[in-house]
Amino acid sequence: MSEPMADAPKHVVSISTLFPNAANPRFGTFVARSLEALAKRGDWRVSVVNPLGIPPIALGRYRALAKLPEHSIENGIEVHRPRFTLIPKMGARRNASAIAKAALPLIKRIHERDPVHVIDAQFFFPDGPAAAWIAEQMQLPLSIKARGADISYWCSRDFAREQILEAAERADGILSVSEALREDMVALGMKRSKIRLHYTGLDRDRFRPLDHTGLRAKLAQELGFNLPEKLPLLSCVGALVERKGQDIAIGALPSLPEARLMLIGKGEDERHLRSLASDLGVADRVHFAGSIDHDLLPIVLSASDAMVLPTRSEGLANAWVEALACGTRVITCDVGGAREIITSDVAGYLIERTPEGVVDAVQSLMAKPADRQQVATMAERFNWTTNGAQLAEHYAKLAGAKA
């Protein structure tokens, strides 16, 4: 692994619609941590362009976005937030071009002040096509990262797949969060020789097995949810959207009469999930925690007997890695990079995407408890230092090739 260089740092501009802000502090934190790890090395300066899509009339959650500052310094990174016009649920076809037109003048100004060596996109759609056009206009090397839904979801739509494949062809280098996702990308027609594996990182000081004694009492007080010490506690970490499968986890509860389920996250499926829990008579055993403070998440995971995520598609879910690091086994589906993480029963179980699959796995897990420290060793290879070093190496290769 390369060490930070003594030479003057090079400069990457990373375009990322996934990035935390004051209105959505948990949105894309994994992107921020990766770029912060890169910036801390000293051999790369990082500027983030976080485009904000704002409808012509900014109501509801868009009002808070519209009030965010257009420029800030956050954890050692310069963050720019240009606006582009967003048509909710209808304008996806034009989002990449709208982002490119909003970001190009800004990135040219950044380049004039501090020459840019690499243009980067942290998500394949719409970030990738936007970054590809900008890199072409500025004659700079281009990197694009694939994370999962940008391939599995957007490539199912003809207009997006066309834009994604064109951007991949223009890219000088591509990153993938898992081997399985890389294979999906090759199957779509991307060049294998361009794609490098780049696993997520992990804050190992935060995500580690915590002393189980008293954790549930602490959580019960913090969240206002009854959490008996001796009964099965399941947590599900992810946006409340159909793809993540929280409805399947709720559907398992009638057959797990003592289990409690905590849903960590928010999203458009919440109303449906609450109705489902009520219809199944398990509403008193399901807690909707929303987006919790990041310091509380390790407590939730350490207090849980399993992290259940019956997801339909993933690249490599950060929640899988974070749960294992806390000594908590994972119950999920055989999708994306799950087999690269769940390599034995010590790590958890890969299941059919059904309530019955969840029930069987929970019962097996409770019948054969695992040592939490042993479970945590399954996540030992993940850390942000390695993630940042690999990113520096990747960008340096692209910058050198274009020099």
Side-chain angles (χ1 to χ4, degrees):
M1 200 65 64
S2 65
E3 294 297 324
M5 299 180 292
D7 299 337
K10 289 184 167 58
H11 187 193
V12 59
V13 168
S14 186
I15 300 171
S16 183
T17 51
L18 284 169
F19 204 79
N21 57 55
N24 295 295
R26 301 297 316 130
F27 186 63
T29 52
F30 44 88
V31 175
R33 297 297 87 80
S34 179
L35 294 176
E36 288 163 10
L38 174 66
K40 285 178 183 176
R41 291 172 48 85
D43 49 351
W44 280 89
R45 178 178 173 185
V46 180
S47 296
V48 171
V49 175
N50 172 219
L52 299 179
I54 309 293
I57 301 176
L59 301 175
R61 62 189 177 94
Y62 295 108
R63 183 176 299 168
L65 290 177
K67 292 180 180 179
L68 292 172
E70 294 192 15
H71 175 263
S72 60
I73 304 296
E74 301 174 13
N75 297 319
I77 292 177
E78 191 168 13
V79 181
H80 303 264
R81 292 190 167 93
R83 275 58 169 169
F84 68 96
T85 301
L86 175 74
I87 309 299
K89 299 184 179 180
M90 296 176 60
R93 185 183 299 271
R94 60 173 295 279
N95 281 349
S97 62
I99 289 170
K101 290 173 183 176
L104 179 60
L106 167 63
I107 295 174
K108 283 184 173 179
R109 291 195 299 271
I110 294 171
H111 184 55
E112 289 172 1
R113 185 194 68 203
D114 185 2
V116 176
H117 299 86
V118 175
I119 298 293
D120 167 69
Q122 285 288 322
F123 202 64
F124 234 110
F125 190 84
D127 311 24
W133 186 77
I134 290 170
E136 184 175 28
Q137 294 296 309
M138 299 182 67
Q139 292 298 292
L140 289 170
L142 170 66
S143 173
I144 306 177
K145 185 160 188 177
R147 296 185 175 275
D150 46 356
I151 301 300
S152 62
Y153 175 75
W154 286 112
C155 281
S156 68
R157 308 181 72 172
D158 290 345
F159 76 87
R161 182 172 64 251
E162 182 179 344
Q163 293 181 37
I164 285 169
L165 292 177
E166 184 177 341
E169 185 63 28
R170 291 181 181 178
D172 299 281
I174 299 172
L175 297 173
S176 170
V177 298
S178 71
E179 291 277 10
L181 183 61
R182 175 160 56 184
E183 293 304 314
D184 290 343
M185 294 156 71
V186 171
L188 285 166
M190 297 186 196
K191 293 178 181 176
R192 184 185 297 275
S193 59
K194 285 188 179 183
I195 306 172
R196 174 176 178 167
L197 181 64
H198 188 225
Y199 280 132
T200 187
L202 179 72
D203 184 343
R204 305 203 66 82
D205 291 331
R206 174 177 279 128
F207 291 98
R208 55 189 172 82
L210 301 176
D211 183 2
H212 205 273
T213 305
L215 286 185
R216 292 192 183 182
K218 178 179 175 64
L219 280 178
Q221 183 177 10
E222 186 82 24
L223 301 175
F225 182 53
N226 183 28
L227 296 171
E229 286 289 342
K230 300 297 184 181
L231 300 183
L233 175 60
L234 313 176
S235 57
C236 183
V237 181
L240 303 185
V241 294
E242 188 277 333
R243 175 174 67 87
K244 294 289 186 178
Q246 289 94 347
D247 58 337
I248 295 171
I250 291 172
L253 291 183
S255 298
L256 298 168
E258 296 184 322
R260 267 60 175 173
L261 173 65
M262 296 185 62
L263 302 182
I264 311 301
K266 58 183 180 180
E268 60 191 27
D269 219 26
E270 181 171 343
R271 180 177 296 180
H272 162 67
L273 295 172
R274 286 184 180 275
S275 295
L276 176 64
S278 179
D279 291 345
L280 294 177
V282 297
D284 61 328
R285 294 194 282 125
V286 180
H287 181 66
F288 291 79
S291 294
I292 64 175
D293 186 281
H294 207 49
D295 289 332
L296 193 59
L297 183 56
I299 299 175
V300 170
L301 292 172
S302 292
S304 300
D305 294 295
M307 203 286 287
V308 180
L309 191 68
T311 180
R312 186 174 64 243
S313 65
E314 295 289 336
L316 190 144
N318 291 273
W320 294 338
V321 178
E322 291 168 349
L324 292 178
C326 290
T328 300
R329 286 190 282 181
V330 174
I331 296 171
T332 193
C333 301
D334 190 4
V335 297
R339 282 187 178 271
E340 298 163 49
I341 304 294
I342 314 302
T343 56
S344 72
D345 289 356
V346 172
Y349 298 92
L350 299 177
I351 63 169
E352 294 293 325
R353 195 169 187 262
T354 62
E356 293 76 19
V358 172
V359 171
D360 289 346
V362 170
Q363 290 175 340
S364 296
L365 181 146
M366 297 303 295
K368 295 189 296 182
D371 178 78
R372 300 186 76 87
Q373 294 294 336
Q374 186 180 6
V375 174
T377 64
M378 308 300 287
E380 280 185 345
R381 57 190 159 131
F382 299 96
N383 65 79
W384 288 123
T385 300
T386 299
N387 179 281
Q390 291 174 341
L391 202 54
E393 201 174 78
H394 171 70
Y395 292 153
K397 181 179 178 181
L398 301 188
K402 283 278 185 173

